Amino acid sequence: MAFSATLSSSVSFNLDEWLRGASASSLRSSCSRSGRIRSSGAMKAGGAPAASERAVKAKVPHVLTVAGSDSGAGAGIQADLKACAARGVYCSTVITAVTAQNTVGVQGVDNVSEEFVAEQLESVLSDMQVDVVKTGMLPSAGIVRILSSSLNKFQVQALVVDPVMVSTSGDVLAGPSVLAVCREVLLPIADIVTPNLKEASALLGGMQLETIADMHSAAKLLHQMGSRHVLVKGGDLPGSCDAVDVFFDGERLHDLRAPRVKTRNTHGTGCTLASCIAAELAKGSPMLPAVQVAKRFVENALDYSKEISIGKGPQGPFDHFLMLNRKVHNFRKKMILDPSDLFLYAVTDSGMNGKWGRSIEDAVKAAIEGGATIIQLREKDAGTRNFLEAAKSCMEVCRSRGIPLLINDRIDIALACDADGVHVGQSDMPVRTARALLGPEKIIGVSCKTPEQAQQAYMDGADYIGSGGIYPTNTKENNLTIGLEGLKAVCLSSKLPVVAIGGIGISNAHSVMELGLPNLKGVAVVSALFDRECISTEARKLYEVLSRTASEVK
Ligand SMILES: Cc1ncc(COP(=O)(O)OP(=O)(O)O)c(N)n1
Ligand SMILES: Cc1ncsc1CCOP(=O)(O)O
Ligand SMILES: [Mg+2]
């Protein structure tokens, strides 16, 4: 389990890229087990990848956690599964104990028998290609010994030891005999050990740890016990406004500082941190970046979750997936597009709002007041920060009125303001990529001028088509006009709902909608609303024309 942090000096490591997870598979294939960069060769003559290379590409990074179950799911096995999933790594589990536990404390512990722990280890390790083993609650000395002999039998890349001894509520989860065996058989084969102050003190026979200098000494002593790397976590250090952890690689000490997040929801941070380290190692990361990424992940999750409320006790769990704190759940249950939402589709324009001296929010409010059924923010000239601020306010306006809000072109803004979706054109981000980024709940519309594009839009998983320009327009430069014939061809060649756009207003909306095509659901307009003195009045008039035509063609 030699896991060295050595990187070739010609290779620079981009922590942010790593954190996004984008480089995981590529880094994995370029890092050998020893952490040294190997050339990306392994190609057969003629350029085809060798069979072994293909096999490496299909391999999924895999962490095995050997830990206890937490019925409250904040810590233990449950935290490990969530952490690995959040970091894009497969996680298998060997359960050592089942705890009856909640945010108040640990009400009961039932250890799994040593034989059955051995059986679980054998099942997983004999079949699956585990990269990294991470340990948590090891409730008996026998279980520690069984784990140690399994690790002798089955080679893995790295061993992460989180020496869980006392729960965050103060309940003892592993006694002194376990400590002794951990020191004897686990630390010497550990690639990293991640004790908090209490655990480090217990491992070091009761050493007092009150300052960062004490943590430095502890890290060095634990290294002498055999662990290749040591992370002493200073979360409990009194009088520090930062969360300072001390990392020691056998040569250098690193003080890893991060602002302390003020929250009650810290149950499971230790398990999560160790699992994240394991996950990053499984992807092929060197040790220090793995620790840095894990620390930042936990910090981010704590910050995101600081207001969530689960359980009545003093210490709650946090959210590994950054999904639970969405105020959206309170307002809008329906995310998937209702085709009738396309009926009167208002598309904003920063130039027009500037010309008439209106804020985007006021323009959006007025359009909805007049009957707009969906809003798109198409702010081509806005700077990112202003656009985001306006988008957030418009989201509040739209959510409180039950109107979907989409963002034109900018997936980043849509994500940042939790918009209901995006509209993309043929030269914008492809629909499939946008879907991968936005997830299944969000609405994605795509512009189509031809039947081929319309067919593709359906195959790519778009929710609707915007088709135009139907008539000439000054709003979009060099835009090809496809006319009513073009619109008809697009509608007939797709199962998706279609909204017509381009040069449409009160005078010609009737001609568009009287085509009477079943999937033609409405019109999208920019200047007919936003380049007028009174947006709500124009929206009302347009709504009337559309309603009248709809009842005629029924
Ligand atoms: C509803 C709707 N349909 C079409 C468009 C045009 O999108 P795109 O082709 O990407 O051009 P830009 O709007 O980005 O200039 C649209 N915005 N909305
Ligand atoms: C964005 C867009 N896409 C095709 S035409 C068009 C502009 C529509 O603006 P207007 O409604 O003012 O003609
Ligand atoms: Mg576009």
Side-chain angles (χ1 to χ4, degrees):
M1 269 161 285
F3 192 95
S4 143
T6 327
L7 266 181
S8 144
S9 59
S10 62
V11 178
S12 67
F13 183 82
N14 182 331
L15 181 59
D16 285 328
E17 196 183 344
W18 189 273
L19 193 64
R20 285 196 303 273
S23 59
S25 58
S26 57
L27 277 163
R28 176 174 178 74
S29 59
S30 65
C31 286
S32 73
R33 183 181 146 171
S34 69
R36 260 171 274 127
I37 299 295
R38 79 171 135 71
S39 81
S40 59
M43 297 281 277
K44 276 186 186 166
S52 59
E53 189 77 351
R54 286 199 300 273
V56 168
K57 276 193 186 141
K59 166 82 177 71
V60 169
H62 186 144
V63 168
L64 163 62
T65 172
V66 183
S69 159
D70 169 3
S71 53
I77 287 281
Q78 289 82 354
D80 298 344
L81 282 167
K82 286 185 273 186
C84 288
R87 294 304 307 154
V89 167
Y90 188 80
C91 183
S92 53
T93 57
V94 165
I95 300 184
T96 57
V98 181
T99 68
Q101 193 174 166
N102 57 21
T103 60
V104 179
V106 180
Q107 289 82 42
V109 179
D110 195 357
N111 290 355
V112 174
S113 72
E114 290 169 16
E115 296 70 36
F116 203 65
V117 169
E119 204 172 325
Q120 294 176 70
L121 282 164
E122 182 76 21
S123 294
V124 175
L125 290 166
S126 65
D127 173 42
M128 298 170 153
Q129 208 184 317
V130 171
D131 297 303
V132 179
V133 170
K134 176 253 158 193
T135 68
M137 178 181 175
L138 302 172
S140 72
I143 286 178
V144 180
R145 290 198 188 281
I146 281 163
L147 172 64
S148 149
S149 52
S150 287
L151 291 172
N152 257 336
K153 181 170 168 192
F154 299 100
Q155 293 293 304
V156 295
Q157 259 183 49
L159 172 64
V160 176
V161 175
D162 183 22
V164 174
M165 287 163 201
V166 182
S167 76
T168 36
S169 53
D171 300 274
V172 175
L173 300 173
S177 62
V178 177
L179 268 192
V181 185
C182 266
R183 270 194 297 256
E184 183 197 326
V185 301
L186 275 195
L187 290 197
I189 57 168
D191 290 283
I192 185 164
V193 60
T194 62
N196 59 28
L197 293 180
K198 277 188 205 142
E199 292 157 350
S201 167
L203 281 167
L204 295 168
M207 177 180 174
Q208 277 212 328
L209 296 175
E210 284 166 355
T211 63
I212 292 178
D214 293 343
M215 290 166 70
H216 289 172
S217 310
K220 286 180 178 168
L221 290 169
L222 289 166
H223 184 263
Q224 279 169 18
M225 288 180 171
S227 182
R228 285 180 182 78
H229 304 87
V230 178
L231 182 71
V232 179
K233 296 173 295 188
D236 302 330
L237 201 66
S240 164
C241 49
D242 283 345
V244 186
D245 299 336
V246 167
F247 176 79
F248 184 56
D249 59 13
E251 284 177 11
R252 279 192 59 198
L253 281 162
H254 302 255
D255 292 349
L256 307 177
R257 283 175 189 274
R260 193 186 290 275
V261 181
K262 283 206 185 89
T263 172
R264 91 181 245 281
N265 298 325
T266 55
H267 181 51
T269 43
C271 308
T272 301
L273 185 85
S275 291
C276 278
I277 294 171
E280 296 310 307
L281 295 178
K283 294 178 197 171
S285 169
M287 189 60 83
L288 179 56
V291 170
Q292 288 169 313
V293 166
K295 195 168 155 60
R296 204 183 280 178
F297 174 85
V298 171
E299 183 195 327
N300 201 20
L302 288 178
D303 190 48
Y304 176 87
S305 311
K306 57 186 179 221
E307 278 153 21
I308 65 173
S309 171
I310 297 171
K312 302 186 195 82
Q315 207 176 25
F318 59 93
D319 176 15
H320 296 69
F321 298 105
L322 315 186
M323 301 278 281
L324 297 176
N325 193 17
R326 288 193 177 175
K327 303 194 171 71
V328 354
H329 294 307
N330 304 335
F331 295 105
R332 190 180 158 81
K333 301 270 180 268
K334 181 188 62 159
M335 284 297 183
I336 307 290
L337 180 75
D338 175 346
S340 67
D341 286 341
L342 299 176
F343 190 61
L344 175 44
Y345 188 143
V347 182
T348 69
D349 181 292
S350 43
M352 291 173 197
N353 287 332
K355 173 178 159 192
W356 291 93
R358 300 188 268 245
S359 70
I360 309 172
E361 294 90 314
D362 285 344
V364 166
K365 272 185 202 159
I368 295 174
E369 198 188 310
T373 52
I374 187 167
I375 302 290
Q376 179 191 133
L377 300 187
R378 182 176 178 271
E379 298 294 315
K380 296 277 182 185
D381 306 327
T384 298
R385 191 160 303 197
N386 287 342
F387 190 2
L388 178 57
E389 285 316 306
K392 282 182 181 166
S393 319
C394 290
M395 275 309 293
E396 282 179 26
V397 169
C398 288
R399 284 251 155 88
S400 60
R401 291 160 175 79
I403 298 292
L405 181 135
L406 311 186
I407 305 288
N408 180 269
D409 294 346
R410 299 284 303 268
I411 316 295
D412 56 339
I413 299 281
L415 280 167
C417 74
D418 194 23
D420 296 308
V422 294
H423 186 93
V424 290
Q426 292 293 325
S427 53
D428 298 323
M429 183 177 284
V431 171
R432 276 180 194 276
T433 317
R435 175 67 71 210
L437 291 171
L438 292 169
E441 291 170 336
K442 299 293 180 183
I443 300 166
I444 301 184
V446 61
S447 307
C448 298
K449 289 181 186 293
T450 66
E452 293 73 26
Q453 290 173 354
Q455 283 156 12
Q456 191 63 44
Y458 178 73
M459 290 191 291
D460 289 344
D463 294 301
Y464 77 88
I465 287 170
S467 189
I470 308 304
Y471 302 112
T473 175
N474 292 326
T475 306
K476 185 169 167 63
E477 272 178 19
N478 304 320
N479 188 51
L480 182 78
T481 301
I482 61 167
L484 292 176
E485 278 311 304
L487 174 63
K488 200 169 163 185
V490 164
C491 287
L492 292 177
S493 57
S494 184
K495 296 177 190 148
L496 291 175
V498 177
V499 62
I501 187 167
I504 301 174
I506 295 163
S507 62
N508 56 15
H510 179 267
S511 318
V512 177
M513 293 313 291
E514 74 175 355
L515 286 177
L517 299 158
N519 58 339
L520 179 58
K521 297 297 179 186
V523 297
V525 293
V526 185
S527 52
L529 297 185
F530 296 108
D531 204 7
R532 299 287 185 275
E533 190 170 358
C534 184
I535 296 171
S536 58
T537 305
E538 298 303 320
R540 224 166 266 127
K541 287 190 213 156
L542 188 51
Y543 193 95
E544 271 168 34
V545 174
L546 293 170
S547 300
R548 210 175 332 114
T549 317
S551 51
E552 280 167 25
V553 298
K554 241 186 204 163

